[in-house]
Amino acid sequence: PVATLCAGRTDAGVHGLMQVVHFDTELQREPFSWVRGTNRFLPPDIAVQWAQAVPDAFHARASALARRYAYLLLESPVRPSVDAGRVGWSFRPLDGDAMRQAAGRLIGEHDFTSFRASACQALSPVKQLTRIDVTRRGAYWRFDFEASAFLHHMIRNIMGCLVAIGQGLQPPEWIDAVLAARSRDAAAPTFAPDGLYFLGPRYDAHWGLPD
């Protein structure tokens, strides 16, 4: 058996575009052999993209400076079809400016208890959220998140609030009251996992890892 350690974990139904995994071994193989050999035994929806040796001091999770996620959302009166399971959905029109105003109020170091699942095992609800970008292309919205770390369901709970604000059910400043309440009951319901993508951790450049 080989023990592995991952950069982060995701909920069922969430997609991973750059998970980083490290393990210890005394075997000597070329990087392409690790990639091809491992992929030989993986299911069709998982594929190792690259492999390289790292110093003993490297740790996939502890060495990460930040984590990045994106949420893709379809705005349409009709549910998703071809991209079902890969995007979230809003059947009501969304106000981008209102969602951006609300997102900006979450930037910085805060106690995110209101956006934390009851089963969350994090030692502290205080996280440093450095970025939420809200963009649109056609009928699709993209929300980019970056933080030091995320709580269990944190992004999906933030998405529930942003969508409620975008649909006009709440004003942008409502997010302040949700944050200050430090209670999960104050926030909107947890949004679907379908559109959430783990974009990977961010490491210091001296490790020499692909970004």
Side-chain angles (χ1 to χ4, degrees):
V2 177
T4 60
L5 287 162
C6 301
R9 54 186 181 177
T10 59
D11 303 335
V14 175
H15 316 287
L17 297 186
M18 197 184 85
Q19 180 64 273
V20 176
V21 183
H22 89 261
F23 61 93
D24 298 322
T25 180
E26 295 181 0
L27 293 177
Q28 299 295 320
R29 289 178 177 162
E30 293 297 322
F32 75 88
S33 295
W34 286 113
V35 173
R36 294 181 181 178
T38 305
N39 284 339
R40 170 67 177 78
F41 297 95
L42 292 175
D45 59 344
I46 303 176
V48 174
Q49 302 296 310
W50 53 265
Q52 69 182 66
V54 290
D56 290 341
F58 176 80
H59 191 286
R61 178 173 50 82
S63 298
L65 302 177
R67 277 88 177 167
R68 297 166 292 179
Y69 285 85
Y71 197 100
L72 301 184
L73 177 66
L74 172 66
E75 179 190 314
S76 171
V78 179
R79 62 171 174 78
S81 54
V82 174
D83 47 10
R86 292 178 172 84
V87 296
W89 176 43
S90 173
F91 61 88
R92 294 190 179 100
L94 296 170
D95 183 335
D97 290 336
M99 292 190 294
R100 292 184 190 97
Q101 290 179 37
R105 296 169 180 265
L106 295 175
I107 301 301
E109 186 176 83
H110 302 287
D111 182 329
F112 285 97
T113 296
S114 294
F115 304 97
R116 179 184 194 179
S118 59
C120 182
Q121 298 177 355
L123 298 178
S124 170
V126 177
K127 302 298 174 187
Q128 179 81 24
L129 186 55
T130 56
R131 182 167 69 100
I132 305 180
D133 292 336
V134 183
T135 56
R136 180 174 186 171
R137 179 178 294 179
Y140 294 87
W141 292 87
R142 173 168 171 157
F143 301 75
D144 281 278
F145 298 84
E146 183 167 339
S148 56
F150 290 91
L151 302 168
H152 189 194
H153 285 178
M154 178 173 161
I155 294 179
R156 291 171 58 193
N157 291 333
I158 290 175
M159 281 300 305
C161 291
L162 293 182
V163 170
I165 291 168
Q167 293 178 341
L169 303 178
Q170 297 286 352
E173 55 270 18
W174 172 65
I175 206 79
D176 295 335
V178 174
L179 192 64
R182 298 183 183 179
S183 168
R184 180 68 193 92
D185 294 337
T190 305
F191 215 62
D194 306 47
L196 186 56
Y197 293 78
F198 180 46
L199 303 183
R202 191 183 298 281
Y203 296 105
D204 190 283
H206 82 271
W207 296 116
L209 301 181
D211 187 14

